[in-house]
Amino acid sequence: MPKTSYHTQLLPTLKKYFGYDTFRPQQEEIISAVLEKKDGLVIMPTGGGKSVCFQVPSLIFPKTTLVVSPLIALMKDQVDGCNANGIAAAYFNSSQSSEEQQEIISRVVQQDLKLLYVAPESMASLSNIINETYISCIAIDEAHCISSWGHDFRPSYQQLGFLKQQLPDTPIIALTATADKATRSDIVAQLGIPNAKQFITSFDRKNISLSVRPADGRVEQILNFIAKRPNSSGIIYCLSRKTTEQLVAKLKTKKINAEAYHAGLTFNERTKVQEDFIFDKTKIVCATIAFGMGIDKSNVRWVIHYNMPKNIEGYYQEIGRAGRDGVASNALLFHSYADVIQLRRFAEGASNEEVQIAKLERMKQFSEATTCRRKILLSYFGELLAENCGNCDVCKSPPQVFDGTIIAQKILSTVARVKENEAIGVLIDVLRGAKNASVLDKGLDQIKTYGIGQDISWKDWQHYIIQLINLGYAEIAFQHHNAIHLTEFSKNVLFHKAKVSLTKPIELVEQIGNPKEKTKKVKKEKRSSELFERLRLLRHKLALEENIPAYLIFSDATLQEIVDERPITDHDFIHISGVGNRKLEVYGADFMNEIKDFNQEKNSKKANTHKVTYELYQQGLSIDEISEKRNLKSTTIFSHIAKLYSEGKPINIYDFVSPSEVEEIKKAKVQLDSPPALKPYFDHFEAQIDYFKIRLALAVVEKEEQT
Ligand code: ADP
Ligand code: ZN
């Protein structure tokens, strides 16, 4: 196909079917290569936008695009998403009746199907149509499944080499989020596409805000976190089944809608948890790592790691499930020393013990970082971030370095005095002078440093001890009940006055802006979130009616843009990112009506606001009292008073403005030629008469003029 014939179609196709105005980085190059019938390998992070790379070409190619995909759940979600966008798509698998299968095959033959999703196992039943008479393009989704190096190896993927042999002129596009080189070369070798152009996009997921908190009181911390975002979907990853269940029980006592997901459930139970999550019937899933693969839910707003993951690959894959729609999302990791010890124990004795422990060490370094966390993550994947990200806890409140020599001396001397026999917890208890059994039974209350650190909290001591370990001034003896030992550098601190720089624990400080602007902003946000909530409920209702996940109707990003723009005409509605032709047609009216209702209710409330003031005035409240009660500025209340007076309500206007002031303003009005605003009066009196008095006096003057 010559380049010019399709090139001008790309953006209009993207808008018409997906509702987006621009391509994300590399999407356009990838699509162009596919349309030029070149093979390609696309490496993009989860949520990067891989599907568009073969779905847009499928709409331009005359025949069907075959999409190989590993999971039925994944296929169904993608097909529902395509259909919601008005794209003819179907999946083919063994659960369908032979009539259904025949129907799909004949749609391919009639060139009535743009996308056909199929698992490798089912391809044999499609042998009559997998040829160049019917197929324009082949997409291999989750292509890393082909490689035994990959973490989701699927033997059935290894037979896919036949595709290139049988359809030599058909472009193959392989897509995955797994970046490593061994997997990459395995994919192109096994698919027989050695000349495939490789498109590797950045792994940065800017919209995911990263933070790490100490694990003390994590249930309490999680409850606070959820309370701030009660309507958002989230996943909490835990290390064990037991933890998932205990956590769910705790959340349920607080009336939080949560379910557990782990390998101990039956297949049906797990499917139900997953579906309820996708359909927003369950807000929160507490899961072991088995949860999430193949979930395309775009409106997961946050991911919490209750326990530390065992390596950065796993961590990044799991947090990647948040914010696929590009809307701001959170990843919160709880860092606990006990987890590190437990994960170490799991790794010990494994065949690749050294590798596992090295990976765990990198994970630990990430958790304890005092520099931009995203830089650390991306460098792990071989990417260099030039600037600090500004969207991680370290960037938001950079650690303050201070002279921690005395603190270090107190810790290390305690370590020496307990004869390097105690783990972190007991050290802190000694420093803080605790009177518990583990201290008293061993007589540790007798040592010299007992109780010298009561001024520092437990959590902060922990933070400092971990820093000393990371700096090499102490170490954990894993084989010796995790007791803290001294190192050769400890002596420098204890005996040679070496200085130690430490950082203060990171506290998340709320940003305090201009209070006036803040209330204004808060009010606007409140109004927006009210509308968001109404539109979200509408979306939920429509989704239930159609039996598709809500995010397939509109993503959260699209919903937010609708709230910000409040479109009430077709013309404005289609301009929203994520609204294509079909969605305008099917959902536009419902959403616009909801916005109109909302606007009307707000306006009528606004039109009557002065009447509320009047009631309070009649009850004898002063202006200040009314203003406080209604949380409105007193100037606003005075404008209500002026309006009420103009409407003929019995207001004792001279309580607020004197007759002589009214006279002055009457004169000024003539002199200034009845200006439409108050400022000219204010300037005329050189700021000696307040605005509210000007307003009230004008109400009197205007009333006189009318009679
Ligand atoms: P992946 O398969 O790479 O994990 P998806 O294809 O599911 O990612 O895309 C993730 C999200 O990004 C989807 O909600 C998709 O509609 C959206 N998206 C894709 N391309 C664009 C684009 N050009 N502009 C805006 N949003 C896009
Ligand atoms: Zn950062």
Side-chain angles (χ1 to χ4, degrees):
M1 216 183 287
K3 193 167 177 164
T4 42
S5 72
Y6 64 78
H7 205 71
T8 49
Q9 294 181 49
L10 297 186
L11 275 178
T13 303
L14 183 72
K15 181 65 203 169
K16 178 175 172 194
Y17 289 97
F18 300 90
Y20 302 133
D21 295 317
T22 52
F23 284 106
R24 289 203 183 141
Q26 301 233 36
Q27 281 178 331
E28 197 166 5
E29 290 88 320
I30 296 165
I31 291 167
S32 300
V34 173
L35 287 167
E36 284 163 29
K37 301 207 160 201
K38 292 184 186 142
D39 298 325
L41 172 61
V42 174
I43 317 277
M44 243 186 220
T46 309
K50 287 187 279 297
S51 318
V52 162
C53 298
F54 56 85
Q55 288 174 350
V56 167
S58 81
L59 291 160
I60 296 172
F61 279 131
K63 300 173 242 169
T64 301
T65 290
L66 188 71
V67 187
V68 181
S69 175
L71 291 172
I72 292 181
L74 198 68
M75 283 183 219
K76 188 173 176 322
D77 201 51
Q78 289 234 355
V79 167
D80 286 344
C82 287
N83 291 337
N85 281 330
I87 301 170
Y91 57 82
F92 183 96
N93 67 38
S94 52
S95 73
Q96 292 161 318
S97 69
S98 67
E99 285 79 30
E100 282 174 295
Q101 293 188 341
Q102 269 316 311
E103 147 101 32
I104 290 165
I105 291 173
S106 62
R107 285 181 72 189
V108 173
V109 172
Q110 289 159 18
Q111 298 197 356
D112 175 37
L113 206 53
K114 285 295 161 192
L115 290 153
L116 178 60
Y117 285 77
V118 59
E121 295 83 357
S122 303
M123 296 223 295
S125 326
L126 286 172
S127 55
N128 287 339
I129 52 158
I130 302 188
N131 59 55
E132 294 185 336
T133 313
Y134 303 116
I135 303 296
S136 284
C137 174
I138 297 167
I140 316 282
D141 209 0
E142 311 286 349
H144 59 279
C145 292
I146 206 170
S147 168
S148 46
W149 296 101
H151 42 87
D152 302 315
F153 174 54
R154 280 170 191 257
S156 61
Y157 258 64
Q158 291 197 309
Q159 51 165 17
L160 296 177
F162 86 93
L163 287 166
K164 196 71 209 177
Q165 287 163 13
Q166 253 175 44
L167 296 83
D169 296 323
T170 305
I172 293 186
I173 170 175
L175 310 102
T176 175
T178 303
D180 72 85
K181 274 210 180 108
T183 308
R184 255 187 264 161
S185 44
D186 220 8
I187 294 171
V188 288
Q190 294 205 44
L191 289 176
I193 49 170
N195 299 322
K197 186 156 185 218
Q198 302 204 2
F199 300 91
I200 301 169
T201 64
S202 166
F203 264 60
D204 194 1
R205 297 281 310 282
K206 294 186 177 60
N207 62 314
I208 303 179
S209 158
L210 307 170
S211 43
V212 180
R213 309 285 299 152
D216 317 80
R218 62 193 127 176
V219 174
E220 201 57 34
Q221 294 193 58
I222 290 173
L223 290 173
N224 285 336
F225 180 93
I226 295 171
K228 286 189 190 139
R229 29 183 91 63
N231 295 317
S232 309
S233 289
I235 306 174
I236 306 177
Y237 286 108
C238 309
L239 212 51
S240 73
R241 282 179 204 186
K242 210 171 102 202
T243 318
T244 61
E245 283 174 352
Q246 287 171 342
L247 189 56
V248 165
K250 283 178 196 153
L251 295 179
K252 280 190 169 162
T253 61
K254 302 281 171 188
K255 303 227 170 359
I256 294 169
N257 176 357
E259 294 297 339
Y261 183 101
H262 53 70
L265 303 177
T266 64
F267 176 78
N268 287 342
E269 286 168 332
R270 269 182 291 162
T271 311
K272 174 144 184 10
V273 173
Q274 181 160 322
E275 284 211 341
D276 285 352
F277 184 62
I278 289 174
F279 281 79
D280 291 333
K281 289 177 196 158
T282 298
K283 285 280 168 216
I284 295 168
V285 172
C286 301
T288 53
I289 42 169
F291 184 72
M293 159 80 175
I295 291 192
D296 251 350
K297 185 174 166 67
S298 75
N299 63 337
V300 176
R301 288 273 67 84
W302 51 264
V303 168
I304 291 178
H305 281 90
Y306 187 91
N307 298 106
M308 196 161 97
K310 53 178 187 282
N311 54 46
I312 289 188
E313 286 93 339
Y315 170 72
Y316 205 57
Q317 194 177 39
E318 283 156 15
I319 66 167
R321 290 177 185 137
R324 294 169 76 120
D325 51 14
V327 176
S329 306
N330 286 286
L332 171 60
L333 164 69
F334 286 110
H335 171 39
S336 113
Y337 179 70
D339 285 352
V340 178
I341 291 169
Q342 189 174 11
L343 288 168
R344 242 191 112 90
R345 216 176 292 138
F346 287 162
E348 277 163 2
S351 57
N352 58 348
E353 172 179 336
E354 254 171 69
V355 178
Q356 286 200 29
I357 289 188
K359 289 192 167 194
L360 176 61
E361 190 56 30
R362 296 288 295 268
M363 189 65 225
K364 194 167 139 285
Q365 282 165 2
F366 168 81
S367 315
E368 290 160 3
T370 49
T371 56
C372 175
R373 291 195 208 274
R374 199 173 310 265
K375 268 194 171 166
I376 298 178
L377 270 188
L378 291 175
S379 83
Y380 186 86
F381 294 111
E383 242 181 85
L384 204 73
L385 196 63
E387 308 262 329
N388 286 343
C389 78
N391 196 20
C392 73
D393 52 352
V394 180
C395 282
K396 284 178 189 159
S397 43
Q400 289 166 282
V401 180
F402 68 101
D403 180 355
T405 309
I406 293 180
I407 288 179
Q409 286 167 349
K410 287 180 180 171
I411 294 169
L412 297 178
S413 113
T414 308
V415 173
R417 284 166 206 277
V418 300
K419 308 210 160 44
E420 301 179 65
N421 261 329
E422 303 298 337
I424 287 190
V426 175
L427 289 179
I428 299 174
D429 283 345
V430 171
L431 283 160
R432 290 184 38 80
K435 293 191 170 56
N436 55 31
S438 53
V439 172
L440 300 180
D441 291 356
K442 293 182 194 157
L444 298 179
D445 54 337
Q446 300 305 315
I447 69 175
K448 206 175 159 201
T449 54
Y450 179 78
I452 57 168
Q454 282 168 355
D455 54 329
I456 293 176
S457 74
W458 210 94
K459 214 170 77 201
D460 290 1
W461 274 121
Q462 187 186 31
H463 171 86
Y464 296 134
I465 297 175
I466 288 172
Q467 269 190 63
L468 286 186
I469 295 167
N470 288 337
L471 291 167
Y473 291 113
E475 63 189 11
I476 305 173
F478 289 104
Q479 287 78 11
H480 187 199
H481 308 296
N482 308 308
I484 302 301
H485 283 189
L486 298 174
T487 68
E488 51 183 312
F489 301 111
S490 315
K491 284 192 226 91
N492 299 345
V493 180
L494 284 173
F495 310 117
H496 305 299
K497 298 189 175 156
K499 286 222 173 299
V500 179
S501 293
L502 294 175
T503 63
K504 293 240 162 77
I506 295 172
E507 286 301 336
L508 286 181
V509 275
E510 294 282 339
Q511 294 216 335
I512 302 161
N514 173 348
K516 233 185 216 163
E517 247 170 37
K518 206 171 156 202
T519 44
K520 216 169 164 186
K521 213 174 132 210
V522 167
K523 251 186 216 160
K524 193 164 165 230
E525 274 169 9
K526 196 171 153 223
R527 224 177 303 143
S528 294
S529 69
E530 254 177 76
L531 179 57
F532 188 91
E533 207 34 42
R534 280 173 71 154
L535 297 184
R536 196 180 67 79
L537 290 175
L538 172 63
R539 178 178 74 171
H540 189 66
K541 186 186 121 216
L542 295 172
L544 288 182
E545 280 167 17
E546 288 187 43
N547 197 26
I548 56 171
Y551 60 86
L552 288 185
I553 293 185
F554 288 130
S555 72
D556 279 8
T558 301
L559 213 57
Q560 189 57 53
E561 198 175 322
I562 296 176
V563 169
D564 295 341
E565 301 296 328
R566 304 203 185 170
I568 47 170
T569 63
D570 282 6
H571 174 266
D572 290 343
F573 202 82
I574 191 101
H575 268 92
I576 303 287
S577 175
V579 179
N581 287 9
R582 181 173 181 275
K583 291 199 175 160
L584 169 67
E585 212 173 282
V586 180
Y587 308 119
D590 283 334
F591 280 82
M592 288 188 280
N593 284 337
E594 192 71 29
I595 295 171
K596 285 181 206 158
D597 286 351
F598 179 82
N599 285 347
Q600 239 167 28
E601 285 167 31
K602 286 286 147 191
N603 285 340
S604 74
K605 224 171 155 185
K606 207 167 173 183
N608 288 318
T609 175
H610 66 294
K611 294 189 181 151
V612 179
T613 295
Y614 185 52
E615 276 172 27
L616 298 173
Y617 174 80
Q618 282 180 310
Q619 288 167 23
L621 269 64
S622 74
I623 299 298
D624 283 345
E625 284 164 347
I626 297 175
S627 134
E628 188 169 344
K629 193 159 186 145
R630 298 204 59 196
N631 197 15
L632 292 171
K633 283 184 287 194
S634 57
T635 48
T636 308
I637 304 298
F638 275 118
S639 74
H640 295 167
I641 295 288
K643 187 165 180 182
L644 291 162
Y645 178 80
S646 308
E647 284 178 359
K649 295 280 184 317
I651 300 282
N652 297 326
I653 201 101
Y654 291 111
D655 287 352
F656 311 115
V657 58
S658 69
S660 62
E661 282 165 334
V662 173
E663 273 315 300
E664 293 280 350
I665 283 160
K666 197 172 176 177
K667 270 187 244 153
K669 190 171 185 226
V670 178
Q671 249 177 318
L672 296 171
D673 202 12
S674 303
L678 302 182
K679 182 146 194 314
Y681 292 97
F682 190 70
D683 293 344
H684 176 80
F685 294 111
E686 293 175 341
Q688 292 308 302
I689 300 187
D690 285 335
Y691 272 109
F692 79 87
K693 290 195 171 180
I694 300 171
R695 171 167 283 139
L696 294 169
L698 281 172
V700 178
V701 174
E702 274 155 21
K703 195 147 192 203
E704 278 176 10
E705 284 169 357
Q706 279 163 17
T707 50

